[in-house]
């Protein structure tokens, strides 16, 4: 203590305080810091502490990022809703839940279609350049049954949300096949309320959950 009653700190005390403040800013608890400073091998302890703290912070960041993604998806979904209601949130939740499955379905459809597309262009080029039309006939013979199979498989695995009654329904194959559509919407007649208009694509599993 000084003559004025003030406490005097040594260089070691100041260094210790800097270490404590630095570790506290990293989120390490006071009790852990105290144990560290009294350990015979603090360098080993601090390495483990920092590893654990990094793991905790990364998990927290991951959880917060998931929540941010959900908020962004809800906001985007609400922009597309003409008239907001509590049911609108339910529709958005259904769409978000099935988004990953729909991505896999779309990717699978794309990959299976590549060989048929390669055959198509090869046959057209050969017909124009060499006058060989037989390969084009082969492509037609393959493409028609392939398109029927792909379409049936696709509509078996997707369903649609009616914007009026919010029912998740499966349309008739013929109507779905010929309907106007975008990557996420299709103009259909709801089997629940009879509304005809743009319906939002979702996973077919949602029909079972809503029945």
């Amino acid at each position: 203590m000084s003559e004025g009653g003030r406490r005097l700190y040594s260089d070691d005390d100041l260094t210790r305080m800097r270490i404590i403040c630095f570790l506290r800013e990293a989120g390490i608890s006071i009790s852990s810091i105290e144990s560290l400073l009294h350990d015979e091998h603090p360098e080993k302890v601090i390495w483990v502490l920092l590893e654990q703290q990094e793991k905790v912070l990364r998990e927290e960041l991951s959880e917060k990022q998931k929540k941010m993604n959900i908020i962004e998806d809800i906001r985007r979904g609400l922009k597309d809703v003409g008239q907001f209601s509590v049911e609108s949130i339910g529709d958005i939740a259904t769409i978000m839940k099935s988004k990953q499955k729909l991505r896999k379905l779309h990717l699978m459809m794309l990959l299976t279609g590549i060989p048929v597309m390669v055959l198509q262009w090869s046959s057209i080029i050969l017909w124009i350049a060499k006058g060989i039309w037989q390969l084009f006939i082969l492509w037609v013979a393959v493409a028609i049954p392939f398109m029927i199979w792909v379409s049936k498989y696709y509509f078996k695995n997707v369903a649609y949300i009616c914007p009026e009654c919010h029912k998740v329904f499966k349309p008739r194959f013929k109507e779905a096949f010929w309907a106007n559509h975008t990557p996420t919407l299709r103009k259909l007649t709801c089997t629940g309320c009879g509304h005809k208009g743009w319906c939002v694509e979702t996973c077919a599993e949602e029909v079972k959950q809503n029945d």
Side-chain angles (χ1 to χ4, degrees), residues 13-28:
D13 290 333
L14 292 174
T15 300
R16 186 184 180 90
M17 284 299 296
R18 279 196 294 270
I19 292 170
I20 292 171
C21 291
F22 180 67
L23 294 176
R24 282 297 294 143
E25 287 179 1
I28 297 173

Side-chain angles (χ1 to χ4, degrees), residues 8 33 35 45 53 60 65 70 75 79 84 97 110 126 137 142 146 149 154-155 158-159 162 171 176-177 180:
L8 298 176
I33 296 171
S35 300
V45 178
Q53 185 63 11
E60 288 178 358
Q65 186 58 54
I70 290 172
R75 291 182 67 180
K79 286 180 181 178
F84 173 77
K97 187 177 178 182
L110 177 64
L126 277 174
I137 299 300
V142 171
F146 173 78
W149 174 81
Y154 183 76
F155 290 118
V158 297
C162 173
F177 184 82
N180 291 334

Side-chain angles (χ1 to χ4, degrees), residues 115-143:
V116 178
M117 186 174 65
V118 170
L119 179 61
Q120 176 191 8
W121 285 107
S122 300
S123 65
I124 292 172
I125 292 168
L126 277 174
W127 193 355
I128 294 171
K130 304 286 186 179
I132 302 173
W133 51 268
Q134 289 87 348
L135 188 61
F136 183 79
I137 299 300
L138 175 63
W139 170 77
V140 173
V142 171

Side-chain angles (χ1 to χ4, degrees), residues 15-160:
T15 300
R16 186 184 180 90
M17 284 299 296
R18 279 196 294 270
I19 292 170
I20 292 171
C21 291
F22 180 67
L23 294 176
R24 282 297 294 143
E25 287 179 1
I28 297 173
S29 66
I30 289 291
S31 58
S32 297
I33 296 171
E34 185 179 0
S35 300
L36 165 69
L37 294 176
H38 287 90
D39 195 86
E40 292 182 6
H41 302 285
E43 69 282 355
K44 295 181 181 179
V45 178
I46 195 170
W47 185 261
V48 175
L49 276 175
L50 291 175
E51 278 188 335
Q52 290 302 309
Q53 185 63 11
E54 182 182 5
K55 183 180 177 182
V56 169
L57 291 174
R58 288 189 182 280
E59 288 175 355
E60 288 178 358
L61 283 172
S62 177
E63 286 300 316
K64 288 179 180 178
Q65 186 58 54
K66 286 179 184 177
K67 291 176 182 177
M68 283 294 296
N69 292 340
I70 290 172
I71 290 171
E72 288 173 4
D73 284 340
I74 292 173
R75 291 182 67 180
R76 276 195 298 268
L78 289 176
K79 286 180 181 178
D80 297 331
V81 175
Q83 193 171 6
F84 173 77
S85 65
V86 175
E87 288 82 3
S88 303
I89 299 292
D91 292 348
I92 295 167
T94 300
I95 294 164
M96 288 168 57
K97 187 177 178 182
S98 66
K99 188 181 290 185
Q100 191 64 31
K101 293 178 182 177
L102 285 175
R103 278 204 196 101
K104 288 180 181 178
L105 178 62
H106 293 158
L107 179 61
M108 189 275 291
M109 301 285 286
L110 177 64
L111 292 176
T112 54
I114 288 174
V116 178
M117 186 174 65
V118 170
L119 179 61
Q120 176 191 8
W121 285 107
S122 300
S123 65
I124 292 172
I125 292 168
L126 277 174
W127 193 355
I128 294 171
K130 304 286 186 179
I132 302 173
W133 51 268
Q134 289 87 348
L135 188 61
F136 183 79
I137 299 300
L138 175 63
W139 170 77
V140 173
V142 171
I144 292 174
F146 173 78
M147 287 175 65
I148 294 171
W149 174 81
V150 164
S151 298
K152 286 185 175 180
Y153 180 83
Y154 183 76
F155 290 118
K156 181 183 177 182
N157 286 278
V158 297
Y160 295 88

